[in-house]
Amino acid sequence: MTVTATSVGESDDVQPRIAPAPRGARLPRLVPAATAALSGVLLYVSFPPRTLWWLALPAFAAFGWVLRGRGVKAGLGLGYLFGLGFLLPLLVWTGVEVGPGPWLALVAIEALFVALVGAGVAAVSRLPAWPVWAAAVWIAGEAARARVPFHGFPWGKVAFGQADGVFLPLAAVGGTPLLGFAVVLCGFGLCEVIRLAVDVRRDRAVPRSAALAALAGLAVPPLAALAALPLVSDKAENGTATIAVVQGNVPRAGLDFNAQRRAVLDYHARETERLAAEVKAGKVPRPDFVLWPENSSDIDPFANADARAVIDGAAKAVGVPVSVGGVVERDGRLLNEQILWDPEKGPVDTYDKRQIQPFGEYLPLRSLLDAINENWTGMVRQDFSRGDEPGVFTLDGARVGLATCYEAAFDWAVRDTVTHGAQMISVPSNNATFGRSEMTYQQLAMSRIRAVEHSRTVTVPVTSGVSAIILPDGTITRKTGMFVADSLVQEVPLRSFETPATRLGVLPEIVLVLVAAGGVGWAVAAAARGRRAGDV
């Protein structure tokens, strides 16, 4: 056998190189990816402190457009890009003091849930009335994010961006799951209406059932919100209470504010004493009780006589009960605790925070994190323990439910204060570690949603701002600036009415998750039948 050598040039003639696609041909492939990421950014822009709630609709319309008719793999990738576009700017505050590492890691993990949602939406997008199934898939993704990993992270629920929106009354019907479902359904409905309108302009046949389903997806959510308006009320049912919210401020922003714990306590005592002087002078009404924020006394008043004396002096000066946020060590356990401080009897009741913050109040995977960066583990030297009982204080006859800071993001943590008799809710918080970021405004919006969801006045006492008083209809009537010492005094309604959302609890979320599972199952079965028919 003779082997004939060939030159490189001759070989090229035999097997010509495949020329790369022209740049103009590659650009259309990037359009869906860019649209997915930018629609995620658009959803972020709809969130507080901006009042552009309506931008959530075109955000989901664009997201639906890029996912409709695509495969599961494409849905995963496009969903992940949407999640990054949304969560990267939304959660940037998590890296204000600790650097970009934890922020980027958190976003990378949370965006995985959105990727799975993208795959689910792509799967159900071929079904009749697909916006309904797709919106349910989104809520199923939110339900998963609120539970895992590390007891969940529900920040960024679509409902939390709707405090100024027309859909808000639906929070009183089915809580954050129904409110979020309505917004997402309306967005996907908008996508389908536009798509069918384009088909009509191109003289393509559009089934009447498809047109009616698309219009229903767009119109039913706002009409349902209008029908729910009678559930939203700020009328007093159990009398009123005159409350005072104290914001003492901190010596400086950032994680090192804890280095001056005594100063933080002194600031809150001083502001309370100033309030007492204004009451005595007749400048403001005498409150029935005073609410301090989380971490207003990081010095344990049960173990430190000087801290106890400072709090006792402030309570005696104002002459009414004070709810104090303290860090307490008891029986070898570190607790984030609200302490009910009577001006005559001293501490008479406590509530221990139940939903503690991973990587902030306790460290999962401590040994692994220590190997990566000792500075991270050094910031949380000792893990906080969880409380196990709902917090409801009786303050001068008023029943005040307590959801400490991070707990406001969790449906169950707020609801069970109401089911245990709360006539109003307080959300004591500490945002000093996040500087002037958007975090405080995002959390304030959550409290406005909770006010409507459970038809309760909600107060938000914060160490450094923004503190606020919110009526049961979600209206902010008083608020402070950031990093100022101030107090808010107002007569507020007390209510015992339980909204459908309060009574139903987790049921609306369960129903929507089952709808999502049914839609995905139907889509998978239909795809399998199509493959079998193709094989035949």
Side-chain angles (χ1 to χ4, degrees):
M1 181 173 65
T2 304
V3 178
T4 305
T6 59
S7 67
V8 173
E10 291 170 338
S11 177
D12 286 347
D13 290 337
V14 174
Q15 294 180 337
R17 269 197 303 264
I18 298 174
R23 181 178 298 178
R26 293 199 303 267
L27 284 177
R29 301 176 188 175
L30 299 178
V31 170
T35 302
L38 290 174
S39 58
V41 174
L42 194 63
L43 180 60
Y44 155 71
V45 175
S46 75
F47 271 64
R50 294 156 296 276
T51 57
L52 304 173
W53 57 270
W54 51 272
L55 285 179
L57 304 186
F60 279 104
F63 191 39
W65 175 77
V66 298
L67 289 176
R68 190 180 184 283
R70 294 189 182 273
V72 170
K73 289 183 180 179
L76 280 170
L78 293 169
Y80 197 74
L81 289 172
F82 182 88
L84 291 179
F86 173 45
L87 296 171
L88 272 171
L90 185 80
L91 302 179
V92 69
W93 51 266
T94 59
V96 166
E97 294 297 331
V98 295
W103 161 51
L104 295 175
L106 174 64
V107 170
I109 293 169
E110 294 298 311
L112 290 173
F113 290 91
V114 187
L116 293 172
V117 167
V121 172
V124 302
S125 67
R126 294 179 175 86
L127 298 179
W130 71 267
V132 176
W133 308 105
V137 168
W138 179 273
I139 298 305
E142 289 191 341
R145 279 208 306 126
R147 289 165 174 81
V148 292
F150 313 125
H151 300 277
F153 186 74
W155 218 278
K157 275 189 169 186
V158 167
F160 294 151
Q162 295 296 310
D164 293 293
V166 298
F167 302 98
L168 180 60
L170 290 172
V173 179
T176 60
L178 183 63
L179 174 55
F181 173 78
V183 175
V184 180
L185 173 59
C186 204
F188 286 149
L190 175 63
C191 170
E192 184 68 349
V193 166
I194 293 172
R195 186 185 73 82
L196 295 179
V198 170
D199 283 350
V200 169
R201 284 186 62 85
R202 292 175 177 174
D203 294 326
R204 295 175 183 168
V206 174
R208 178 175 295 182
S209 59
L212 290 175
L215 289 171
L218 183 61
V220 167
L223 291 175
L226 184 64
L229 267 176
L231 294 172
V232 181
S233 173
D234 62 358
K235 293 181 180 179
E237 294 178 323
N238 307 107
T240 62
T242 300
I243 62 171
V245 171
V246 167
Q247 176 177 302
N249 202 11
V250 299
R252 56 181 176 267
L255 292 173
D256 62 350
F257 89 96
N258 282 315
Q260 297 194 27
R261 295 180 298 166
R262 176 55 191 269
V264 175
L265 172 56
D266 288 344
Y267 282 15
H268 284 82
R270 184 187 308 159
E271 183 59 27
T272 303
E273 290 163 358
R274 188 189 68 80
L275 170 64
E278 289 195 339
V279 170
K280 187 175 181 179
K283 296 180 179 179
V284 296
R286 176 186 174 87
D288 297 315
F289 51 87
V290 176
L291 301 168
W292 282 13
E294 177 189 33
N295 299 127
S296 45
S297 178
D298 276 353
I299 303 175
D300 185 349
F302 296 104
N304 295 272
D306 58 339
R308 185 184 185 103
V310 170
I311 297 170
D312 209 43
K316 281 180 166 58
V318 75
V320 297
V322 181
S323 179
V324 178
V327 174
V328 172
E329 190 163 359
R330 184 181 297 117
D331 301 325
R333 303 168 70 218
L334 191 63
L335 301 166
N336 186 335
E337 190 166 83
Q338 288 291 309
I339 308 164
L340 176 53
W341 206 284
D342 185 88
E344 302 300 329
K345 301 175 183 177
V348 294
D349 200 358
T350 60
Y351 164 65
D352 300 324
K353 186 177 182 181
R354 294 169 295 162
Q355 187 69 28
I356 57 176
Q357 183 183 351
F359 306 102
E361 293 172 307
Y362 78 100
L363 277 184
L365 312 174
R366 182 180 285 273
S367 58
L368 175 62
L369 290 174
D370 189 54
I372 297 173
N373 190 327
E374 292 181 358
N375 292 331
W376 295 349
T377 54
M379 282 184 270
V380 186
R381 295 183 179 87
Q382 181 181 351
D383 290 344
F384 280 81
S385 296
R386 298 176 184 274
D388 51 18
E389 294 290 337
V392 181
F393 285 169
T394 300
L395 290 157
D396 196 40
R399 301 272 289 167
V400 181
L402 299 163
T404 305
C405 195
Y406 186 57
E407 292 183 320
F410 293 83
D411 295 346
W412 65 268
V414 181
R415 175 181 177 265
D416 67 3
T417 68
V418 179
T419 58
H420 281 76
Q423 298 166 315
M424 62 170 285
I425 300 167
S426 184
V427 184
S429 302
N430 172 27
N431 299 334
T433 52
F434 304 112
R436 296 184 179 274
S437 70
E438 293 182 356
M439 183 270 187
T440 188
Y441 300 103
Q442 294 170 10
Q443 191 177 54
L444 184 59
M446 293 178 194
S447 296
R448 294 179 64 190
I449 300 297
R450 300 306 183 193
V452 175
E453 182 178 14
H454 300 294
S455 195
R456 294 294 186 273
T457 296
V458 177
T459 62
V460 187
V462 184
T463 50
S464 58
V466 174
S467 298
I469 296 173
I470 305 165
L471 292 183
D473 63 359
T475 303
I476 297 175
T477 55
R478 300 277 194 282
K479 67 178 181 178
T480 69
M482 293 184 71
F483 295 101
V484 295
D486 203 353
S487 58
L488 309 172
V489 181
Q490 184 177 332
E491 184 180 13
V492 299
L494 302 176
R495 292 176 60 83
S496 57
F497 168 69
E498 288 193 355
T499 64
T502 304
R503 293 195 296 269
L504 293 171
V506 75
L507 184 59
E509 186 175 57
I510 291 174
V511 169
L512 290 171
V513 169
L514 291 176
V515 170
V520 172
W522 182 9
V524 170
R529 286 195 301 270
R531 285 194 295 270
R532 286 196 297 270
D535 292 340
V536 174

